[in-house]
Amino acid sequence: MPTLEEIAGALGRPVLGDGTITFRRAAEPSVAGPDDLALAMSEAYADALRSSQARIAILWDGADPTEFGLDGAITVTRARLAMARLTGALDRWPEWGAGIHPTAVVAEDARLGPGTVVGAHAVIGPRVSIGAKAAIGPQVCIEADARIGDDALIHARVTIGARVTIGDRFICQPGAVIGGDGFSFVTPEESRVEQARASLGSEVGAGAQSWTRIHSLGAVAIGDDVEVGANATIDRGTVEDTRIGRGTKIDNLVHIGHNLKIGEDCLICGQVGFAGSTVVGDRVVLAGQVGVSDNIEIGDDVVAGGASKIFRRVRSGEVLWGNPAQKMETEVGLQKALRRLPRWGQQLAELRAARKETGDG
Amino acid sequence: MPTLEEIAGALGRPVLGDGTITFRRAAEPSVAGPDDLALAMSEAYADALRSSQARIAILWDGADPTEFGLDGAITVTRARLAMARLTGALDRWPEWGAGIHPTAVVAEDARLGPGTVVGAHAVIGPRVSIGAKAAIGPQVCIEADARIGDDALIHARVTIGARVTIGDRFICQPGAVIGGDGFSFVTPEESRVEQARASLGSEVGAGAQSWTRIHSLGAVAIGDDVEVGANATIDRGTVEDTRIGRGTKIDNLVHIGHNLKIGEDCLICGQVGFAGSTVVGDRVVLAGQVGVSDNIEIGDDVVAGGASKIFRRVRSGEVLWGNPAQKMETEVGLQKALRRLPRWGQQLAELRAARKETGDG
Amino acid sequence: MPTLEEIAGALGRPVLGDGTITFRRAAEPSVAGPDDLALAMSEAYADALRSSQARIAILWDGADPTEFGLDGAITVTRARLAMARLTGALDRWPEWGAGIHPTAVVAEDARLGPGTVVGAHAVIGPRVSIGAKAAIGPQVCIEADARIGDDALIHARVTIGARVTIGDRFICQPGAVIGGDGFSFVTPEESRVEQARASLGSEVGAGAQSWTRIHSLGAVAIGDDVEVGANATIDRGTVEDTRIGRGTKIDNLVHIGHNLKIGEDCLICGQVGFAGSTVVGDRVVLAGQVGVSDNIEIGDDVVAGGASKIFRRVRSGEVLWGNPAQKMETEVGLQKALRRLPRWGQQLAELRAARKETGDG
């Protein structure tokens, strides 16, 4: 069991009171027992803390532990950052055993760095290279010639396709598929989709067409410190690799099409989808269910609100919302106007009626 | 092969005619052969039934089997409820063998109840507890300390993370991931997203930022009689568990973020997504592709139409639709107004032109 | 290493210059090295090609290889079609070994055609039938009585449920689930959803309800030449099979509900979702994140733009966009009007003020 002192070390803050007290788990003040560390990093928890059974706590900056009858405490300034350090210190490592599980199928010419663990029923293909101290979960499949850096944490049932390259400290949640084939088809004749795009939908002929596959010769290239969520999918590029920049975090069920180039330190939330060949800058933040059209360019430092659908080029620094996505202040203005729209319709009808009456028309 | 009498028992209704007739499968009247049970639970099937080869049928309330030349029939009042009972009686159990498959990897200290089946290449981690008569499909992965109740039916390739707890009669479709890590990151400085939220998008500074991970110490706690769809994902909580209440049904590709508290008897349809830390009441029904923002509260008995995007607190009993979601009648009114909008624009221009003409301006 | 001549054969075009030159990979002109084949199928690449190190290239129709200092070239007319043939010729086959991997679990009564490969840790159930020259990837699960045609390419970790039937030349990306149970529930009493639909949301009673499962007795029936994307899900039908017609291509994370009937040669892009029991015609193209309501009919040759939400019957040949989806030209008109809406509001207010002033009101 960890001590309060150890946590203080992780947080880089002094202990107020007794640092030797151990605890079973961190918990909110209202449910924390006498063996727990209460998390009360904002003054909103003050009342709950007063009636809490906890003897030790993490408190907001300026709080006085003695006021709450605590035997030990640590105060912190930025709560979410403290949460990052605290949870990092308390997180438990998966129990996948040591070394290569006897049921794993590892190609003879695959190279695994020292300290790397491979779980039960994992499959590691020819010439795969994995760095040191990586943890490869049960039932993971890593195909031929893939290269993964040091300190990877790849959870159960992830698939990493042939020739995919990934940097250091990669974290991947279960079920993600990195390196599926791109969705790219062509018809021998100009297709109805091409016609619809060219004519904005006004002239589209019918008629038979069937789809011929454009194969994906490229792979996926992922930088250092990237995370990928559960059941997310990242497709390989057609000729060059699909690219995900250093530090970018990708949430569950995100779909990243072929040929995407995504920059560094982006945050891509749950169920976001990118059609193919789009270029995304650095530090872009897309909220859940955002959709991004194909073959467009998204600049740096773009932020898009939940469920925004982006159909056009976005300049660096723009903050977007809506479907179709537009500058957030424009969208907020539009939504205000829409709330008034039924009343405006009535007012317009009144004006027209009045005009008729006065014989203006 | 089942007899008509057995089905009558499952439906709690008497047989009209010969109950000893057996059948190969249930089928719509138009495709049912002489060995099939025709399903004609509404009068709309009357014509198809007249020309059907079927000798036995399930009919709507009040129908006369002799009119259709049937040798046996059962009439039912509520068709969909009858379908539930009928399909339950006819469904076939997966063929995963008996006991623990020799290729499954089961930790020595895992405890499995009597009658529980574990399929090929499944992996069951340390101290896992599974109740009686559970069926764990091929290639399922259940990680350390997870606890699952009696009568579970967990299909192939499901992942259940460490310390997840699940009640009795759990049904889970292939590929679902229960207990991936939450998507929660923080920047050392205030992030551009926090600024965008605070200023509604009007003032956001650029500049470098990289993301520090908030680990997920909590697990997922799921009540009795819950179902989870194929490739759906449910993330663990940061400190407390993410919670899914008794009787709630979750469809394919649904994303449930960290710290969600979802109530009982909810129906969450395909591709719905919840951002983190939202609280959802009981008997909530969300149609396909609905999105729910983070940190909001959805009351009991809420219904949201397809693709609604919910950005605000929703009171119990509200029926919502649209993006952003609003009361359904307001949304329906808005959509009517929008259809008239181009015409209104024209009328407005006419009024303005007339006013100029008459010298009012 | 392939020769330029071999590629010319695949493209059905003559070599200009030296066809015996071999190359390591295809690449864009700007990154192509002296051992690479430069892809410059449009004049836009002319400048990049001039400074490229490549000695051989695929060029646009009418280009003169000597102008770019190339030793060999092929010119093509339709670039995307040429890409299909070129990438098909250069794609590499997965390295899953030959025959049945010793760790695969194949039922004694399963039948596999000649030349079929089964990867490590795959599970093939009782009475499964797979045609000739199929490649079944690692950790794939194919359940009892499923039938798959010749030349299938089924990537790692795909699940194919019991009794599913699939034609020839099936291609399936990792993690797809074909044949999960449909999401179909009923309440003993009329449910609040049924009430909300009937009353368009105006009258819905509260009160307890819990969900009874309608089991899925049907399977999924898939035609020849179908592709399914990574982590996509296709549910089985309630009584009859869910159907996907010949030549239809389905992208990543698509959700296809129970009882769908999808026609031939459709293109269903990433994250599209279909609620149950809808009928879709031939050659329908749905862009990413489109949603389709349950129990409606979509005709042939329909095209829907990104994130369209389709709530109504769609006639053959319609081109749709928006939420709710409408004819694309109507939607484009609406979006134009919406951009003017705040200004219209102001103009309306001015007219009303002027009218008050002139004493008309």
Side-chain angles (χ1 to χ4, degrees), chain A residues 37-115:
Chain A
L37 170 68
L39 300 182
M41 303 189 212
S42 110
E43 209 158 347
Y45 287 106
D47 282 348
L49 193 60
R50 265 182 205 102
S51 54
S52 175
Q53 300 180 38
R55 296 173 56 212
I56 55 175
I58 316 275
L59 300 177
W60 63 96
D61 195 32
D64 175 6
T66 61
E67 191 190 334
F68 303 98
L70 295 166
D71 298 329
I74 305 162
T75 62
V76 296
T77 47
R78 197 148 180 254
R80 280 178 64 81
L81 188 57
M83 275 301 285
R85 290 175 181 158
L86 174 77
T87 56
L90 294 178
D91 201 5
R92 279 174 273 183
W93 201 248
E95 300 188 36
W96 298 333
I100 299 175
H101 194 278
T103 61
V105 173
V106 179
E108 275 183 28
D109 52 2
R111 286 177 309 163
L112 310 185

Side-chain angles (χ1 to χ4, degrees), chain B residues 78 91 95 157 227 301, chain C residues 127 157 187 192 213 215:
Chain B
R78 201 156 175 250
D91 200 5
E95 300 188 36
R157 292 206 301 105
E227 301 202 15
D301 300 300
Chain C
R127 302 171 305 280
R157 293 205 303 103
T187 54
R192 299 185 66 252
R213 180 173 226 265
H215 290 246

Side-chain angles (χ1 to χ4, degrees), chain A residues 338 341-342, chain B residues 321 331-347, chain C residues 200 311-312 323-327 330-331 333-335 337-338 344:
Chain A
L338 287 175
L341 187 58
Chain B
W321 196 28
E331 175 69 18
V332 168
L334 172 61
Q335 290 189 15
K336 267 184 205 161
L338 287 176
R339 278 196 289 277
R340 293 179 194 130
L341 187 58
R343 202 176 65 218
W344 287 354
Q346 210 174 346
Q347 292 174 354
Chain C
L200 271 181
F311 292 97
R312 60 154 172 93
N323 174 15
Q326 51 186 345
K327 273 178 198 290
T330 313
E331 175 68 19
L334 172 61
Q335 290 189 15
L338 287 175
W344 287 353

Side-chain angles (χ1 to χ4, degrees), chain A:
Chain A
M1 290 211 299
T3 64
L4 188 61
E5 218 146 35
E6 284 163 24
I7 300 305
L11 296 176
R13 301 278 297 174
V15 172
L16 309 177
D18 182 355
T20 67
I21 299 173
T22 59
F23 61 95
R24 196 170 55 94
R25 54 158 200 159
E28 292 187 10
S30 59
V31 299
D35 297 335
D36 295 342
L37 170 68
L39 300 182
M41 303 189 212
S42 110
E43 209 158 347
Y45 287 106
D47 282 348
L49 193 60
R50 265 182 205 102
S51 54
S52 175
Q53 300 180 38
R55 296 173 56 212
I56 55 175
I58 316 275
L59 300 177
W60 63 96
D61 195 32
D64 175 6
T66 61
E67 191 190 334
F68 303 98
L70 295 166
D71 298 329
I74 305 162
T75 62
V76 296
T77 47
R78 197 148 180 254
R80 280 178 64 81
L81 188 57
M83 275 301 285
R85 290 175 181 158
L86 174 77
T87 56
L90 294 178
D91 201 5
R92 279 174 273 183
W93 201 248
E95 300 188 36
W96 298 333
I100 299 175
H101 194 278
T103 61
V105 173
V106 179
E108 275 183 28
D109 52 2
R111 286 177 309 163
L112 310 185
T116 282
V117 166
V118 178
H121 295 313
V123 175
I124 304 207
R127 300 172 306 278
V128 165
S129 155
I130 302 176
K133 288 172 286 163
I136 310 298
Q139 302 157 333
V140 165
C141 181
I142 304 180
E143 304 236 21
D145 296 299
R147 293 205 321 270
I148 300 173
D150 294 338
D151 299 302
L153 172 55
I154 299 182
H155 281 275
R157 292 204 302 102
V158 166
T159 296
I160 296 177
R163 301 182 300 284
V164 169
T165 58
I166 300 178
D168 294 336
R169 293 172 299 281
F170 180 58
I171 299 179
C172 192
Q173 301 301 320
V177 175
I178 299 174
D181 287 339
F183 192 70
S184 187
F185 296 92
V186 60
T187 54
E189 311 296 313
E190 187 181 66
S191 76
R192 298 186 65 252
V193 187
E194 291 167 281
Q195 291 174 32
R197 287 202 167 201
S199 69
L200 270 180
S202 57
E203 289 171 50
V204 178
Q209 63 183 9
S210 71
W211 302 101
T212 300
R213 181 172 224 265
I214 296 180
H215 290 247
S216 298
L217 304 180
V220 178
I222 295 183
D224 291 338
D225 297 298
V226 168
E227 300 202 15
V228 174
N231 286 344
T233 65
I234 307 178
D235 280 357
R236 44 182 71 242
T238 307
V239 173
E240 311 298 329
D241 291 349
T242 298
R243 293 188 174 278
I244 312 290
R246 183 200 51 71
T248 285
K249 316 298 185 187
I250 296 167
D251 198 358
N252 297 355
L253 294 170
V254 166
H255 163 59
I256 298 183
H258 60 283
N259 298 341
L260 257 284
K261 311 285 177 209
I262 297 186
E264 303 189 344
D265 291 320
C266 296
L267 214 59
I268 312 293
C269 296
Q271 295 178 324
V272 166
F274 295 91
S277 301
T278 277
V279 177
V280 179
D282 297 335
R283 297 172 304 278
V284 168
V285 177
L286 304 183
Q289 297 189 338
V290 165
V292 182
S293 202
D294 61 296
N295 286 289
I296 58 176
E297 205 175 315
I298 310 285
D300 297 332
D301 301 299
V302 167
V303 178
S308 298
K309 306 301 175 188
I310 305 178
F311 292 97
R312 60 153 172 94
R313 188 167 189 276
V314 182
R315 280 191 305 275
S316 289
E318 278 196 70
V319 178
L320 302 174
W321 196 29
N323 174 15
Q326 50 186 345
K327 274 178 197 289
M328 189 176 282
E329 55 203 33
T330 313
E331 175 69 18
V332 168
L334 172 62
Q335 290 189 15
K336 269 185 205 161
L338 287 175
R339 279 195 290 276
R340 292 179 195 131
L341 187 58
R343 202 175 66 217
W344 287 354
Q346 211 175 346
Q347 291 174 355
L348 183 65
E350 286 166 15
L351 283 179
R352 283 166 53 84
R355 183 164 157 250
K356 259 194 193 134
E357 221 168 78
T358 56
D360 285 3

Side-chain angles (χ1 to χ4, degrees), chain B residues 102-164:
Chain B
T103 62
V105 174
V106 180
E108 276 183 27
D109 52 2
R111 285 178 311 163
L112 310 185
T116 282
V117 166
V118 178
H121 294 313
V123 175
I124 305 210
R127 302 171 305 279
V128 165
S129 156
I130 302 175
K133 288 172 287 163
I136 310 298
Q139 302 157 332
V140 165
C141 180
I142 304 180
E143 305 237 21
D145 297 298
R147 293 205 322 270
I148 301 172
D150 293 339
D151 299 302
L153 171 54
I154 300 182
H155 281 276
R157 292 206 301 105
V158 166
T159 296
I160 295 177
R163 300 182 298 285
V164 168

Side-chain angles (χ1 to χ4, degrees), chain B residues 220-242:
Chain B
V220 178
I222 295 182
D224 292 337
D225 297 299
V226 168
E227 301 202 15
V228 174
N231 286 345
T233 65
I234 307 179
D235 280 357
R236 43 182 73 242
T238 308
V239 173
E240 310 298 329
D241 290 350
T242 299

Side-chain angles (χ1 to χ4, degrees), chain B residues 10-281:
Chain B
L11 296 176
R13 302 279 296 176
V15 172
L16 309 177
D18 182 355
T20 66
I21 299 173
T22 59
F23 60 95
R24 196 171 55 95
R25 54 159 200 157
E28 292 187 11
S30 59
V31 298
D35 296 336
D36 295 342
L37 170 67
L39 301 182
M41 302 188 212
S42 111
E43 209 157 348
Y45 288 107
D47 282 347
L49 193 60
R50 266 181 205 104
S51 54
S52 175
Q53 299 179 40
R55 295 173 55 212
I56 55 176
I58 316 276
L59 300 177
W60 63 97
D61 195 32
D64 175 4
T66 60
E67 190 191 333
F68 303 99
L70 295 165
D71 298 329
I74 305 162
T75 62
V76 297
T77 48
R78 201 156 175 250
R80 279 179 63 82
L81 188 57
M83 274 302 286
R85 289 175 181 159
L86 174 77
T87 56
L90 295 178
D91 200 5
R92 280 174 272 183
W93 201 248
E95 300 188 36
W96 299 332
I100 299 176
H101 194 277
T103 62
V105 174
V106 180
E108 276 183 27
D109 52 2
R111 285 178 311 163
L112 310 185
T116 282
V117 166
V118 178
H121 294 313
V123 175
I124 305 210
R127 302 171 305 279
V128 165
S129 156
I130 302 175
K133 288 172 287 163
I136 310 298
Q139 302 157 332
V140 165
C141 180
I142 304 180
E143 305 237 21
D145 297 298
R147 293 205 322 270
I148 301 172
D150 293 339
D151 299 302
L153 171 54
I154 300 182
H155 281 276
R157 292 206 301 105
V158 166
T159 296
I160 295 177
R163 300 182 298 285
V164 168
T165 58
I166 301 178
D168 293 336
R169 293 172 300 282
F170 180 59
I171 298 180
C172 192
Q173 301 301 319
V177 175
I178 300 174
D181 288 338
F183 192 71
S184 187
F185 296 91
V186 61
T187 54
E189 312 295 313
E190 187 181 65
S191 77
R192 300 186 66 249
V193 187
E194 291 167 281
Q195 290 174 31
R197 287 203 167 200
S199 68
L200 270 180
S202 58
E203 290 171 50
V204 178
Q209 62 184 9
S210 69
W211 301 101
T212 300
R213 180 172 225 265
I214 296 180
H215 290 245
S216 298
L217 304 179
V220 178
I222 295 182
D224 292 337
D225 297 299
V226 168
E227 301 202 15
V228 174
N231 286 345
T233 65
I234 307 179
D235 280 357
R236 43 182 73 242
T238 308
V239 173
E240 310 298 329
D241 290 350
T242 299
R243 291 185 176 280
I244 312 291
R246 184 200 50 71
T248 286
K249 316 297 185 187
I250 296 167
D251 198 359
N252 295 356
L253 294 170
V254 166
H255 163 58
I256 298 184
H258 59 284
N259 298 340
L260 258 283
K261 311 286 177 207
I262 297 185
E264 302 189 345
D265 290 321
C266 296
L267 213 60
I268 312 292
C269 295
Q271 296 178 323
V272 166
F274 294 92
S277 300
T278 277
V279 177
V280 179

